[in-house]
Amino acid sequence: MTTHGHAPDPAPVPEEGGGTAPDAGLERWRLVLGSPAERHTGPLGPGNAGRDSALDWLYGRDPDLAGRGVRRSGSREGGDGLSAVTAVDWLDDIHRLFPKETIERLERDAVERYGIQEIVTDPAVLERVEPSATLLRAVLRTKHLMNPQVLRLARRIVETVVKQLLAKLRPEVRRAFHGTRSRRPSRVALARDFDFRQTVRANLAHYQPAERRLLIERAHFHSRTQRHVTQWQLVLLVDQSGSMAGSVVHSAVTAACLWGLPGLKTHLVAFDTQVVDLTADVTDPVELLMRVQLGGGTDIARAVEYGAGLVENPRRTIVALVTDFYEGGDAYRLVRAVRGLVEQGTTVLGLAALDEDANPDYDRQTAGRLAEAGAHIGAMTPGRLAEFVAERLGR
């Protein structure tokens, strides 16, 4: 049966009880396309109707929908649908209806795209929410609005996510300082030092053509050289403007991982228009992040000048400036401060991002001027920064 020249109605799928169930593929398209597609896909079953309602509670508030002529779902028409369901109800629904990856995306969009701050400022919500990097960034942006009770609940998010990041990053950071591979063979059998090429070469005589199998009589491994380490400094200058939330988190965790490594003295300094030296709290990244306040203006030059004052041996110092390079102060003063560091032999890194994505949005003009002054400009993951520092220490 066709209606008004449109595509045929979906064929009903028999249910065990004698009724019909919606087609799963068509239901998926209906969820993707929204209620206007229902005349082609057929109605949603009870389970997916709940998912559609949860999606509509969030994405139905998009102001672009009316401009594109998209009609909201029936559950949102003729009433005050936005307030009928609270953030607590919505969180309960999505945790019941969606897989973990989808929940994380929905929570991220709720906080970052639609600014539903109740998710991180309402005690009832905080007790239910699943800690994630997105919610940690939201806590850092809004904790100045929280009363002591809410702040205690929000701290759970900070502690959980920091613990997860430490577990992931600490092995990467430590690995960078464990020495480089040598061409000399080793009798110590460690999987990370397995020498595939030499093992194959040495056991070719045991190849069995009929079975297309190589018997390994003896495995070969690389040895590792111990780096000669002299005292170095790493000065991390971290922009705490709102757009740098992810880099602030990863800088704090990276500094904690680097703290106490032989031959390395680590400093962590946060800045906006003021400069705050957080080095004393580096061993407790949770407490450190609870002290950070995102937002406000940016005076990068002042931070670089402060960092220059910490330098003890210029040729044994790395100043890592983590910022989006949008200078709210004096750009000429910033370039002059960076050039002064470079000319005295300090390695200056200008990192537009220090996080797992290393995919920044930054002022390319200012970054270019700092590159001309001698700074290394780019974006890094924490593991890559650790490798960079380790390479310098090994010289």
Side-chain angles (χ1 to χ4, degrees):
M1 173 182 177
T2 60
T3 57
H4 307 294
H6 294 299
D9 292 335
V13 179
E15 282 188 317
E16 290 184 6
T20 59
D23 180 271
L26 290 173
E27 277 198 301
R28 183 178 293 272
W29 277 112
R30 162 62 182 81
L31 286 171
V32 171
L33 298 173
S35 57
E38 195 162 298
R39 59 184 177 181
H40 302 295
T41 63
L44 294 169
N48 278 324
R51 295 185 180 92
D52 184 59
S53 179
L55 292 171
D56 190 58
W57 183 88
L58 179 63
Y59 296 110
R61 66 189 68 219
D62 194 323
D64 293 337
L65 289 177
R68 299 200 306 266
V70 177
R71 179 175 59 83
R72 291 176 174 179
S73 298
S75 61
R76 297 284 300 273
E77 293 179 339
D80 57 350
L82 281 174
S83 60
V85 177
T86 68
V88 178
D89 298 329
W90 179 73
L91 280 171
D92 285 342
D93 288 343
I94 65 171
H95 278 262
R96 177 173 51 85
L97 295 167
F98 294 102
K100 182 178 179 181
E101 295 79 7
T102 305
I103 293 168
E104 291 175 354
R105 173 58 188 269
L106 292 172
E107 290 178 343
R108 181 170 74 245
D109 284 351
V111 172
E112 296 184 350
R113 185 172 174 180
Y114 298 109
I116 305 173
Q117 301 297 355
E118 311 95 274
I119 291 178
V120 288
T121 57
D122 185 334
V125 177
L126 282 171
E127 289 175 348
R128 290 169 167 77
V129 76
E130 186 71 25
S132 68
T134 294
L135 295 179
L136 171 55
R137 292 193 295 270
V139 166
L140 297 185
R141 292 190 182 102
T142 59
K143 59 188 175 65
H144 64 289
L145 304 173
M146 299 177 182
N147 62 42
Q149 177 196 1
V150 174
L151 205 55
R152 283 194 298 273
L153 293 169
R155 190 183 180 94
R156 175 183 69 95
I157 293 175
V158 179
E159 290 173 345
T160 302
V161 178
V162 166
K163 183 178 179 180
Q164 293 169 350
L165 286 173
L166 281 170
K168 180 180 186 300
L169 296 180
R170 186 170 277 134
E172 293 181 19
V173 170
R174 301 285 172 168
R175 192 180 305 123
F177 288 82
H178 281 172
T180 54
R181 283 182 177 176
S182 166
R183 292 183 180 274
R184 293 184 294 106
S186 172
R187 295 186 180 182
V188 180
L190 293 176
R192 69 181 184 185
D193 297 330
F194 179 64
D195 188 340
F196 175 80
R197 292 180 180 276
Q198 182 59 28
T199 298
V200 171
R201 190 180 299 116
N203 291 277
L204 282 174
H206 307 297
Y207 180 64
Q208 298 179 337
E211 299 180 19
R212 303 182 67 181
R213 221 171 31 162
L214 179 67
L215 299 180
I216 304 299
E217 188 173 275
R218 181 186 172 191
H220 290 256
F221 298 86
H222 295 287
S223 67
R224 285 181 177 260
T225 59
Q226 183 66 36
R227 288 190 174 101
H228 173 68
V229 177
T230 55
Q231 186 68 38
W232 275 73
Q233 277 180 284
L234 172 64
V235 181
L236 275 169
L237 305 173
V238 186
D239 186 342
Q240 59 179 356
S241 60
S243 62
M244 299 298 293
S247 292
V248 170
V249 172
H250 284 82
S251 296
V253 175
T254 302
C257 294
L258 292 170
W259 187 262
L261 287 175
L264 183 64
K265 183 178 181 180
T266 304
H267 305 262
L268 181 63
V269 177
F271 67 91
D272 41 37
T273 55
Q274 302 297 317
V275 175
V276 182
D277 196 323
L278 299 170
T279 304
D281 291 322
V282 161
T283 56
D284 187 352
V286 173
E287 185 60 37
L288 188 153
L289 289 172
M290 294 304 289
R291 287 186 57 192
V292 166
Q293 183 57 62
L294 297 178
T298 310
D299 190 338
I300 308 173
R302 174 177 289 189
V304 173
E305 289 171 351
Y306 180 88
L310 298 174
V311 175
E312 297 169 3
N313 183 346
R315 296 189 179 278
R316 289 287 184 270
T317 301
I318 300 168
V319 174
L321 175 63
V322 185
T323 179
D324 56 12
F325 301 104
Y326 288 101
E327 174 62 294
D330 187 338
Y332 294 99
R333 181 176 153 214
L334 169 60
V335 173
R336 186 167 61 249
V338 169
R339 182 178 291 115
L341 283 168
V342 172
E343 288 176 349
Q344 70 181 11
T346 301
T347 300
V348 179
L349 290 177
L351 301 180
L354 179 64
D355 55 33
E356 292 173 320
D357 296 328
N359 184 25
D361 177 20
Y362 62 101
D363 186 332
R364 296 177 183 274
Q365 182 177 0
T366 300
R369 293 175 65 186
L370 297 187
E372 292 172 359
H376 304 272
I377 303 297
M380 287 185 179
T381 63
R384 180 65 192 100
L385 175 61
E387 291 173 5
F388 183 91
V389 174
E391 288 167 5
R392 291 299 187 276
L393 265 65
R395 289 184 174 181

